Amino acid sequence: MNRLLRLTWLLERLTSRALVAATVALTVTATAAHAQVRTDGLAMPRALQGLPAAGSQCGLTPAEKLQAQQAAALPAPDARCLLSTSELVRDKALAEWTWVDVRRPDLAEADPQPGALRLSPELLRSKAFLKTRRVLLVGDGHAQAALLSQCRRLKDDGFTQVRVLNGGWPQWRFQQALQAPTQPGAQPGTPSTSTATLTSIEPLGAAALSAPALWAESQHEGNLVIGTRADGLIPLLPFGATLDAWSVERVRALIERRRHDSPGVPLASVVLVHAPERSADVPLAALRQALHPTPVLVHVGQASALRTQLAQMEAAWVARERGPKQPRCGQ
């Protein structure tokens, strides 16, 4: 009986020690595993990694992230992509060009381009069958710097013969007006808008620029922005040249000086800024015809109105950059 009790006591002692040892071993193993997990950065399942902390307000929305990525990925404008309407008319292989209408849907529907594909530059990148064809991007004549950047990206993607029609669809329509008589007995090259002046916004059509559009055009190094000293508009813009008074000869002289000063930068557009009450009128059609095939864009308005609009734009940009009041990341 005593021997049985002794054996029972020994078994209990051995079992207790084994349990303690096993517990210690498990604790050490778990600690090491936990340390290894933390070291490898796998504290969470892979599917949960990269999620923002609860309560964080610092992340961008998916749309904002996509916009930022596209802006960062957009290359510098390629001025070699520009193709003037005069060059296009002289091209013996004009019929081989595939026209791609990249204008906004409302503009494309209001004034369609016969036979043109309606694609954005982003969608055009996926059309591999067009990479070896002659592709002509036709816009609305505004914001051509962005379109020239898209042209460069298409070249990088393998589009070997892609160009941008300088002045877009409006300039092509003006080219057609110059080629055909518009009145009985008129000679080719006499547009029907010969009496249009800068005092009226109606005849300008697609050439008219709002204040934000004017600011964007003035940022493009390929454009020449011109105004008169009396208008007082040029000092409000980042770049521009001034005239004492409007005349075709003075505008041409500024263009020649610009070409001499920047021989490596082709002239994309001439942007006229005009305050009707401050300086004399100038026939718009006369300037367009004299400067053809260079597109002419126009902003009509007072310096005080432009100053107010630019201040509002700047305030909106600052407010957007600062964003709404929000807690710091992780709070």
Side-chain angles (χ1 to χ4, degrees):
M1 189 67 170
N2 291 334
R3 181 178 297 178
L4 182 60
L5 291 174
R6 183 179 294 274
L7 288 174
T8 302
W9 179 79
L10 287 173
L11 286 173
E12 290 177 353
R13 292 291 302 273
L14 291 174
T15 301
S16 177
R17 290 181 179 180
L19 288 173
V20 172
T23 302
V24 171
L26 287 174
T27 302
V28 172
T29 302
T31 304
H34 180 65
Q36 183 177 2
V37 165
R38 292 177 62 88
T39 302
D40 293 342
L42 300 178
M44 291 189 206
R46 292 183 182 273
L48 300 180
Q49 292 180 26
L51 293 179
S56 174
Q57 302 292 327
C58 301
L60 298 176
T61 65
E64 290 173 335
K65 287 183 179 179
L66 179 60
Q67 184 178 6
Q69 291 171 356
Q70 290 177 344
L74 205 60
D78 186 355
R80 296 171 299 177
C81 288
L82 282 176
L83 179 68
S84 71
T85 55
S86 296
E87 292 176 295
L88 185 61
V89 167
R90 294 193 300 266
D91 190 349
K92 296 181 180 179
L94 175 61
E96 297 181 3
W97 285 98
T98 298
W99 290 49
V100 179
D101 188 349
V102 298
R103 295 175 298 168
R104 298 196 319 262
D106 58 328
L107 296 178
E109 292 174 3
D111 187 13
Q113 300 175 18
L117 301 176
R118 289 173 58 179
L119 295 171
S120 67
E122 290 76 13
L123 289 177
L124 179 60
R125 297 177 66 192
S126 64
K127 309 301 180 183
F129 68 94
L130 292 175
K131 288 188 174 182
T132 57
R133 297 187 184 181
R134 306 177 79 185
V135 177
L136 185 64
L137 305 181
V138 185
D140 60 2
H142 297 186
Q144 291 198 131
L147 199 54
L148 293 175
S149 296
Q150 296 282 8
C151 180
R152 180 186 290 272
R153 187 164 67 173
L154 287 168
K155 285 183 176 181
D156 294 339
D157 289 343
F159 287 79
T160 57
Q161 302 181 79
V162 59
R163 303 291 294 274
V164 173
L165 183 61
N166 194 16
W169 184 243
Q171 191 66 20
W172 177 251
R173 295 289 296 271
F174 186 73
Q175 172 75 41
Q176 291 178 318
L178 291 178
Q179 287 182 303
T182 57
Q183 298 174 2
Q187 297 296 320
T190 305
S192 59
T193 56
S194 58
T195 59
T197 64
L198 291 178
T199 58
S200 174
I201 200 67
E202 293 300 328
L204 304 184
L209 295 175
S210 62
L214 171 62
W215 181 266
E217 296 294 347
S218 66
Q219 303 282 338
H220 181 25
E221 65 174 353
N223 292 339
L224 175 59
V225 184
I226 304 175
T228 63
R229 301 183 192 280
D231 289 341
L233 295 170
I234 292 299
L236 303 178
L237 301 172
F239 303 102
T242 56
L243 297 171
D244 293 329
W246 288 112
S247 73
V248 174
E249 292 74 18
R250 288 188 176 96
V251 172
R252 277 178 166 168
L254 280 179
I255 292 175
E256 290 302 319
R257 190 175 71 185
R258 187 258 181 202
R259 285 173 175 163
H260 179 269
D261 295 340
S262 304
V265 183
L267 181 61
S269 301
V270 172
V271 181
L272 308 179
V273 291
H274 178 60
E277 289 79 8
R278 300 292 297 274
S279 62
D281 299 335
V282 56
L284 173 60
L287 265 176
R288 294 188 69 185
Q289 189 172 356
L291 302 182
H292 181 76
T294 303
V296 177
L297 303 174
V298 183
H299 172 81
V300 178
Q302 295 297 325
S304 58
L306 179 60
R307 186 181 294 106
T308 300
Q309 290 174 315
L310 293 180
Q312 292 173 347
M313 289 166 48
E314 184 177 2
W317 293 334
V318 172
R320 179 175 177 82
E321 182 178 359
R322 294 177 58 185
K325 293 183 178 180
Q326 56 188 10
R328 295 180 180 178
C329 294
Q331 292 185 350

